[in-house]
Amino acid sequence: MRLIFLGTPDFAVPSLKKIAESNHEIIAVVTQPDRPRNRGVMSPSPVKETALELGLKVLQYERISREGVEDIKNLNPDIMVTCAFGQILSRELLAIPKYGVINEHASLLPKYRGSSPIQWCVINGEKETGVTIMKTAYEVDSGDILFADKTFIGEDETAGELFDRLSILAADSIIKALDLIENGKANFAPQNHNEATFCKMLTKADGLIDWSKSAQQIKDFVRGMNPWPCAYTKLDGMVYKMHKVSVQNNNFSGNAGQIVMADKNGLIVACGDGAISIDIIQAPNCKKMSAKDYLLGHKLQVGSIFE
């Protein structure tokens, strides 16, 4: 099939490469405009960089539904594939391809609709997630589902690690979906909209740890915020980033957020229920390191309370 691929971040790159290696023809790649990165230098998206390396036609629009309709009509694709593109497509755009538009979504729909499903699956302690291939509809992540490929989430797996695994899974899934559609074997089923939840876009402020939660909840939160925006806490007005923690099984008692051990044996903090060991920490003006190494040269007072 002749297709247009729409995507922007790293997550979409394996899918673009996989389609380029398949029997399907990519007639254009649509991605977000170049943005200022690295101290204001204008930089292309990862998808644009990959598309140019593959010798593919690249189109960029601030608002594809306003600026790109005629271009897409002139290209006359059989199908369009979206993967973390970052813009909502108008009904006019959705109606152009013969086989419509299909989307790769990094969770098991209908739960976890929205922009950050990978992080929220980890934050909420889910044991399983996956990639859903769906028909793109005007309402966000609400279209009929073709199929979902599932995978387990590791006990200590971070959102960043899961992101990488799901991007590879998505690449395999989209080829399977395109082949089904081309061969007339695709059967789409409607979602149960009553089961839907919406994942809001994360900001740096969302990384603040709520110490009133249980030790397991805080561990899952830290995993879900890794690598960005990164979980953090405050002590005496200073910000401490938490890159890795583990649930402490020994009996430690203290108020939520209170440091109950801080010596050569490690850093233990009480939670609303249980306690956690801080494994990897990043103190102000320091690189990230093990808490034990940090405590060799710095002092944290037992009894102090992280905010």
CSV table of all heavy atoms in Angstrom, one decimal, residues 48 108 139 157 205 227 261 285 300:
chain,number,residue,atom,x,y,z
A,48,LYS,N,12.1,13.1,11.5
A,48,LYS,CA,12.6,13.8,10.3
A,48,LYS,C,14.0,13.4,10.0
A,48,LYS,O,14.4,13.1,8.8
A,48,LYS,CB,12.6,15.3,10.5
A,48,LYS,CG,13.1,16.1,9.3
A,48,LYS,CD,13.1,17.6,9.5
A,48,LYS,CE,13.6,18.3,8.3
A,48,LYS,NZ,13.6,19.8,8.5
A,108,LEU,N,-2.9,-0.4,26.5
A,108,LEU,CA,-4.0,-1.3,26.1
A,108,LEU,C,-5.3,-0.5,26.2
A,108,LEU,O,-5.8,-0.3,27.3
A,108,LEU,CB,-4.0,-2.5,27.0
A,108,LEU,CG,-2.7,-3.3,27.0
A,108,LEU,CD1,-2.8,-4.5,28.0
A,108,LEU,CD2,-2.5,-3.9,25.6
A,139,GLU,N,-12.1,12.1,18.0
A,139,GLU,CA,-11.9,12.2,19.4
A,139,GLU,C,-10.6,11.4,19.8
A,139,GLU,O,-10.4,10.3,19.3
A,139,GLU,CB,-13.1,11.6,20.2
A,139,GLU,CG,-14.4,12.4,20.0
A,139,GLU,CD,-15.0,12.2,18.6
A,139,GLU,OE1,-14.7,11.2,18.0
A,139,GLU,OE2,-15.9,13.0,18.2
A,157,GLU,N,11.2,-2.0,36.2
A,157,GLU,CA,11.3,-1.4,34.9
A,157,GLU,C,10.9,0.1,35.0
A,157,GLU,O,9.9,0.4,35.6
A,157,GLU,CB,10.5,-2.1,33.9
A,157,GLU,CG,10.8,-1.7,32.4
A,157,GLU,CD,10.1,-2.6,31.4
A,157,GLU,OE1,9.2,-3.3,31.8
A,157,GLU,OE2,10.6,-2.6,30.3
A,205,ALA,N,6.7,19.8,37.4
A,205,ALA,CA,6.1,19.9,38.8
A,205,ALA,C,5.4,18.6,39.2
A,205,ALA,O,5.3,18.3,40.4
A,205,ALA,CB,5.0,21.0,38.8
A,227,PRO,N,12.9,8.5,32.8
A,227,PRO,CA,13.9,9.5,33.1
A,227,PRO,C,13.3,11.0,33.2
A,227,PRO,O,14.1,11.8,33.6
A,227,PRO,CB,14.8,9.4,31.8
A,227,PRO,CG,13.9,9.0,30.7
A,227,PRO,CD,12.9,8.1,31.4
A,261,MET,N,17.2,6.5,58.5
A,261,MET,CA,18.5,6.0,58.5
A,261,MET,C,19.3,6.8,57.4
A,261,MET,O,18.8,7.0,56.3
A,261,MET,CB,18.6,4.5,58.2
A,261,MET,CG,20.0,3.9,58.4
A,261,MET,SD,20.1,2.1,58.2
A,261,MET,CE,20.1,2.0,56.4
A,285,ASN,N,23.4,20.4,42.8
A,285,ASN,CA,24.8,20.7,42.3
A,285,ASN,C,25.6,19.4,42.3
A,285,ASN,O,26.9,19.5,42.3
A,285,ASN,CB,25.4,21.8,43.1
A,285,ASN,CG,24.7,23.1,43.1
A,285,ASN,OD1,24.2,23.5,42.0
A,285,ASN,ND2,24.5,23.7,44.2
A,300,LEU,N,23.1,13.8,55.9
A,300,LEU,CA,21.7,14.0,56.0
A,300,LEU,C,21.3,13.6,57.4
A,300,LEU,O,21.6,12.5,57.9
A,300,LEU,CB,20.9,13.2,54.9
A,300,LEU,CG,21.1,13.7,53.5
A,300,LEU,CD1,20.4,12.8,52.5
A,300,LEU,CD2,20.6,15.1,53.3
